[in-house]
Amino acid sequence: MAETLRVSGKYFTQSSHRYRTGDGQSESSIQVLLVDDYEPFRRFVCSMLNGIRELQVVGEAADGVEAVNKAGELRPDLALLDVGLPGLNGIEVARRIRKLVPECQIVFLSLESSTDVIAEALELGALSYILKERIGSELLPVVEAVILDKLLVRKNVRKAEVRY
């Protein structure tokens, strides 16, 4: 039986087993760690993500050290990071998250528009670098890509598990 997945206004038809674990339990949503030192901005991003049922913001951090600690504890699927953080900057936070949780996707959300900083962020393997002034138009498509990638990985794992 197929079910339809709606992600930010787009529809995708998926097999119903894609969302189930081997014991029949529903798979958890994609877990997000949101890191920014400005609380109103974190609230804004949470409100943008709130309507996407496949996502769950599992943690927030206001500085780099807290972000690394929460990433190690929560093991998120996606980290949304600011570059200009107190303590450790976002680039260093990304390096440390890569070591702690290599499967975590990283997306930078920043005011910093220096081409050197953007290049360094992308060289670390960040999925995207979004300027905060463009977050309204660019965040959801990037999040959609993470959701679809995760669902495809889960489906491929399922196929590999059932082969004898």
Side-chain angles (χ1 to χ4, degrees), residues 8-143:
S8 299
K10 297 179 183 173
Y11 293 88
F12 302 89
T13 301
Q14 307 296 337
S15 300
S16 60
H17 71 276
R18 172 178 274 177
Y19 304 107
R20 303 282 173 202
T21 60
D23 61 4
Q25 298 282 328
S26 294
E27 288 184 349
S28 62
S29 57
I30 292 173
Q31 298 185 345
V32 179
L33 174 62
L34 177 56
V35 183
D36 195 285
D37 60 332
Y38 188 56
E39 197 270 337
F41 182 75
R42 291 196 314 268
R43 296 281 63 82
F44 173 71
V45 173
C46 283
S47 72
M48 287 184 69
L49 301 177
N50 191 35
I52 303 174
R53 67 183 171 111
E54 296 83 13
L55 292 180
Q56 178 185 10
V57 177
V58 293
E60 296 181 31
D63 66 59
V65 173
E66 181 184 17
V68 172
N69 291 337
K70 284 198 175 188
E73 173 190 332
L74 300 171
R75 306 196 61 79
D77 300 302
L78 173 63
L80 302 175
L81 300 175
D82 188 8
V83 171
L85 295 170
L88 298 172
N89 70 45
I91 300 292
E92 184 57 32
V93 170
R95 279 191 188 97
R96 293 182 186 196
I97 288 175
R98 279 275 176 246
K99 290 178 183 173
L100 289 170
V101 191
E103 65 278 5
C104 180
Q105 294 285 348
I106 295 174
V107 173
F108 284 96
L109 309 174
S110 185
L111 291 171
E112 178 61 58
S113 61
S114 160
T115 55
D116 291 339
V117 172
I118 294 170
E120 186 175 7
L122 296 175
E123 285 172 10
L124 284 169
L127 180 65
S128 185
Y129 191 107
I130 302 171
L131 294 174
K132 287 184 177 179
E133 64 194 37
R134 297 162 122 173
I135 195 168
S137 63
E138 294 183 9
L139 180 60
L140 293 182
V142 169
V143 168

